[in-house]
Amino acid sequence: MSNKIILSIETSCDDTAISILSCKESKLNILTSKVSSQIKLHAKWGGVVPNLAAREHLKNFPKLIKLALDEAKVSIDQIDFIAVTSGPGLIPALLVGVNYAKTLSYLWEKPLIGIHHIEGHIYANFVDENSKFKIQNSTQIQRKKCKIMFPILALVVSGGHTQLVLMKNHLQYEIVGQTLDDAVGEAFDKVARILGIGYPGGPAVALRASQVKSQKSKAIQDTKYNIKFPRPMLHKKNFNFSFSGLKTAVLYETKKHPELLKNKEYIAEICHEFQQACVEVLIAKTLKAAEQFNPKTILLAGGVSANTELRKQLGEAIQKSIPNTSYKIPDTSLTGDNATMIGAAAAFRWEKMTAKQKKEALLGWKMLQANANLKMN
Ligand code: KG4
Ligand code: ZN
């Protein structure tokens, strides 16, 4: 890849994110990565309120852009192009980021390219792990340095998506399996809401689930409440998922025992069994798809890829059944929404663009549109 500096923006949901990446000798290094989280603002509503998110993005931008340029020690002249998430996502939120990027592109006379949010999550895996910027946030699970080789099978798990994506080469995506209803992150969020344990649900459920594990390892043979949830779609031949029934099973369980909802042990056991059901289904479908498509690399992407049990158990399953397949997980600092992943995907897109397309990107400020239902192609 040619050397370049990319400024990227992501506002598809409730995080305002700006990043500046340098691509030097084919390595992507983070010069700065700013994420302004709105969790506190939306927590009281139990989920993201699109118009509130948009208003916050607008408030955050001037400060964040200045901070990012200062921290990266990059002048506007040095930036080669701008990249922004153009979809999918919440339209009020997307519009703010896209219009901000268009304004910068016009004022600074820089090319502008739109990036698909999920493409970004996948390309978070291509950011150089030795990048100085993220050392303080290193991953919890030690792993061998992994070379990413095609074909890739990407398990994308986020709040809006659950997909198995086959990539025969860079920027080529074939969705071979996906959820028929709720995304897995959405199911975590809804279960957390049913249990009244906070927002966002993923980390809240994972934390309680880990409490059961530590009790179990203290030689208790079985869990006290012996809760069992289904493993949806496990025996279906296709690679699709379904998580809404699992969420409903949690709801029914709590309706059976409303008196236990204040009992921490009971809540922890529900979280543990729910998380384990999700992890087992995700692993089984990924291995089944790997059997058919023979990928050289399996990679994990999206907000739920922060889940320690999923990271660990998927790695162990690959090691056991297909040890010649590489396994790549994103740095934990890049699992949730961030702009670095958008810049990373943009670096590869830029490389594939013709001189004419690069010139046309100078008119990105006029042409680019936010699209809440953008398809990946
Ligand atoms: O990718 P992301 O930040 O936003 C979307 O593109 O949707 O994913 C957010 C989702 C939320 O549903 C959140 O609860 C979930 O990722 N999540 C987790 C964990 N951390 C975040 N789910 C399970 N375990 C986690 N540790
Ligand atoms: Zn995301």
Side-chain angles (χ1 to χ4, degrees), residues 231-244:
R231 271 53 177 163
M233 310 282 282
L234 199 60
H235 301 295
K236 287 259 172 2
K237 284 214 170 71
N238 58 37
F239 311 122
N240 291 333
F241 305 91
S242 164
F243 293 100
S244 83

Side-chain angles (χ1 to χ4, degrees), residues 257-274:
H257 299 292
E259 76 285 0
L260 289 176
L261 274 174
K262 289 214 164 62
N263 180 324
K264 284 193 179 146
E265 246 183 307
Y266 175 69
I267 297 290
E269 273 192 30
I270 291 186
C271 290
H272 183 267
E273 172 62 6
F274 165 76

